[in-house]
Amino acid sequence: MPPPPDVVPGDAAQLLHQLEWTVIRRLDGLLHGDYRTLFRGPGLDLADLREYQYQDDVRHIDWNVTARLQTPYVREYNEDRDLTAWFLLDLSASQTFGSQVQKLSVATAFVTVLSRLLTRHGNRVGALLYGNRVDTVLPPKSSRQHVLHLMHLLMNRPPPQAGATDLATLINEANRSMPRRGLVFVISDFITQPGWEAALGRLTQRHEVIAVRLYDPLEMELPDIGLMWMQDPETGEQLFVDTHDKGFRRRYAKLAAEREDALREGLAAAGVDTLELATDDDLAEAISRFADLRRSRSRLSGGAVSKPKSDVTAHLEART
């Protein structure tokens, strides 16, 4: 399936209908009904206790039981799937870049697909939209009409003004705007002023956070197409370059690789899962790959289960 078409002002209902047929129907088959792979609710009920294993989440260690039995034990939970999801959308000028499809178009398609998958299971979605500042806060609701309203806001925004992006501003505003624990998607190309890592780390202390990193292949490596003008969409700065120069292309790729390494280190330090989404990606396959990754991590970290109480649990209950 080709990437989504560029977003132009128009009919949100038509785009939603198109994505329901081309992406959401495919995801129903690719995910095989494993709804929990992507979406976890905030409600937790203690289901059992078991001995700590390598790669378990240390936040699930029951220190009281560990102290009494002199062996580390972790809690296992049954989770309530009902949740509130928020989309933190970086819609700054750099999102209008794309060699074939704009990053903004990919972001709109992703938000549409995830919003519809969430709301049709009864969950609520909200959004914070950032241009040069947080200019729109859409409170969470669960209806199809609400999804269409969000799409309309994305498809009919005025062109972004030039200016440097400060992603920390968006994340800090989100921390203030979301009182209850929820699922948060930070959707950005992460071309931003420094300092976002600490803000993102604070956000993960309260919410489950997924970073959706948008990029275009031309941001990684330049083709040999001769002389050309390059312009920074956020500052307006222009540069005339010779892409036929192998040394220039090599330096460009080196700087891009260094930025990639720094970005991934920052996301890892913040403790978030990351979906990397290129402008030429198949959206359904990218989401499915990400679901597979989260499914594997869930198995390793001892996710929520529903099973009879263990001998340890029964023993502790008998002693209390």
Side-chain angles (χ1 to χ4, degrees), residues 83 221 264 320:
L83 57 79
E221 186 175 356
R264 287 170 179 162
T320 56

Side-chain angles (χ1 to χ4, degrees), residues 49-86:
L49 292 163
R50 62 169 174 79
E51 286 193 40
Y52 175 87
Q53 298 175 3
Y54 177 68
Q55 290 185 327
D56 279 341
D57 190 333
V58 295
R59 292 174 297 181
H60 294 167
I61 293 177
D62 189 312
W63 296 107
N64 291 329
V65 174
T66 296
R68 289 163 65 182
L69 298 182
Q70 298 300 304
T71 302
Y73 275 83
V74 294
R75 298 176 178 179
E76 293 183 321
Y77 297 96
N78 289 322
E79 292 178 292
D80 178 9
R81 295 189 307 185
D82 293 339
L83 57 79
T84 298
W86 288 87

Side-chain angles (χ1 to χ4, degrees), residues 74-196:
V74 294
R75 298 176 178 179
E76 293 183 321
Y77 297 96
N78 289 322
E79 292 178 292
D80 178 9
R81 295 189 307 185
D82 293 339
L83 57 79
T84 298
W86 288 87
F87 297 99
L88 311 188
L89 280 149
D90 169 14
L91 303 174
S92 57
S94 62
Q95 301 293 355
T96 61
F97 177 74
S99 52
Q100 297 183 29
V101 176
Q102 292 183 358
K103 288 181 279 186
L104 174 60
S105 301
V106 178
T108 300
F110 177 83
V111 170
T112 300
V113 169
L114 266 293
S115 295
R116 195 66 196 112
L117 286 172
L118 283 159
T119 56
R120 69 179 186 173
H121 286 275
N123 301 298
R124 303 187 304 158
V125 298
L128 278 76
L129 310 186
Y130 174 96
N132 296 107
R133 59 184 176 82
V134 178
D135 53 66
T136 304
V137 177
L138 186 65
K141 295 181 181 179
S142 61
S143 67
R144 178 186 174 89
Q145 190 62 34
H146 181 66
V147 174
L148 289 170
H149 179 46
L150 173 56
M151 294 175 63
H152 178 79
L153 291 176
L154 295 177
M155 296 173 66
N156 294 278
R157 282 177 65 86
Q161 298 179 355
T165 300
D166 185 2
L167 197 58
T169 299
L170 170 60
I171 297 171
N172 288 330
E173 181 63 30
N175 252 327
R176 291 188 289 267
S177 302
M178 301 182 302
R180 295 183 57 194
R181 174 176 169 82
L183 175 64
V184 181
F185 295 92
V186 181
I187 304 170
S188 174
D189 55 12
F190 290 88
I191 299 175
T192 174
Q193 298 287 345
W196 58 269

